[in-house]
Amino acid sequence: MTQLSKPVTLALLWLWAGAALMFMAFTAPTLFNPNVLDNRDLSGAISGAILKRFFAASYYVLGACTLISLLGWIADIKVRRRMELLFFLSLVLLGANILQDKLVRTRLIQIKLEIKNAPDEKRRAGLQTRFNDWHQISVSLFGGSLLLALLGAGWASLRPERKAGKKDP
């Protein structure tokens, strides 16, 4: 278990980071490019549908990372191969995914509905400001999670394994 837990966890983390990077660097900018789609509501609906699926898949990928790294950490507790880094990284990313999906995305959907049903332009403008604020939170949380995943998985990938019986530096 101990020899498989690190490479499997890293592979899953790199898979998740790659999917997040593809969305952030290519999908979202393309959807919101007026030369591609000139209807921002349609761009938002497509982007929201993609993110809904991304967050659903992330529960499985990051949940598996968390479980596998925890089992690897427990199985290798005497040698201390630092699977705890991958466990806590996976756990934080899973928590950020839950926060993003259940709080931020849900709030953005609610505000968008309120904008659609707003009785006047003044109310609509105020709601649009709230939407933009929540969207900035969403982008920051998503980008921060991606950066954390890239740094953590990169550091764990480049870090040599210690031999049994060696002490931590």
Side-chain angles (χ1 to χ4, degrees):
M1 175 67 183
T2 58
Q3 292 189 355
L4 277 179
S5 58
K6 183 177 178 180
V8 170
T9 300
L10 284 171
L12 289 170
L13 283 171
W14 284 119
L15 173 72
W16 182 88
L21 185 62
M22 286 296 293
F23 178 82
M24 198 165 201
F26 301 106
T27 306
T30 301
L31 285 173
F32 288 97
N33 180 340
N35 294 325
V36 175
L37 278 175
D38 59 0
N39 184 332
R40 288 188 66 78
D41 287 334
L42 179 58
S43 299
I46 294 169
S47 177
I50 292 169
L51 281 173
K52 181 179 179 180
R53 285 189 168 89
F54 175 80
F55 292 133
S58 293
Y59 287 120
Y60 293 107
V61 172
L62 296 173
C65 285
T66 303
L67 181 62
I68 292 167
S69 59
L70 176 63
L71 293 174
W73 183 25
I74 291 169
D76 212 17
I77 201 84
K78 288 183 180 178
V79 180
R80 305 289 295 173
R81 292 181 192 257
R82 294 207 183 160
M83 282 301 296
E84 66 267 21
L85 165 75
L86 292 175
F87 168 68
F88 288 114
L89 174 63
S90 300
L91 191 62
V92 167
L93 292 173
L94 181 60
N97 189 73
I98 292 168
L99 181 67
Q100 182 83 306
D101 184 33
K102 299 300 179 190
L103 176 69
V104 179
R105 192 178 67 80
T106 302
R107 189 67 192 124
L108 285 168
I109 291 168
Q110 289 171 342
I111 295 170
K112 205 61 170 166
L113 285 173
E114 289 177 38
I115 290 171
K116 189 176 182 179
N117 297 323
D120 56 47
E121 193 58 41
K122 184 178 179 187
R123 176 79 175 133
R124 201 171 293 117
L127 288 167
Q128 187 62 50
T129 300
R130 280 183 41 210
F131 180 87
N132 293 343
D133 292 344
W134 276 95
H135 184 264
Q136 187 58 49
I137 290 168
S138 175
V139 170
S140 298
L141 186 57
F142 195 85
S145 295
L146 175 58
L147 182 61
L148 183 64
L150 291 172
L151 291 174
W155 186 78
S157 295
L158 296 174
R159 196 156 180 276
E161 290 293 327
R162 292 191 317 272
K163 302 291 184 211
K166 298 264 184 177
K167 293 200 175 219
D168 270 345

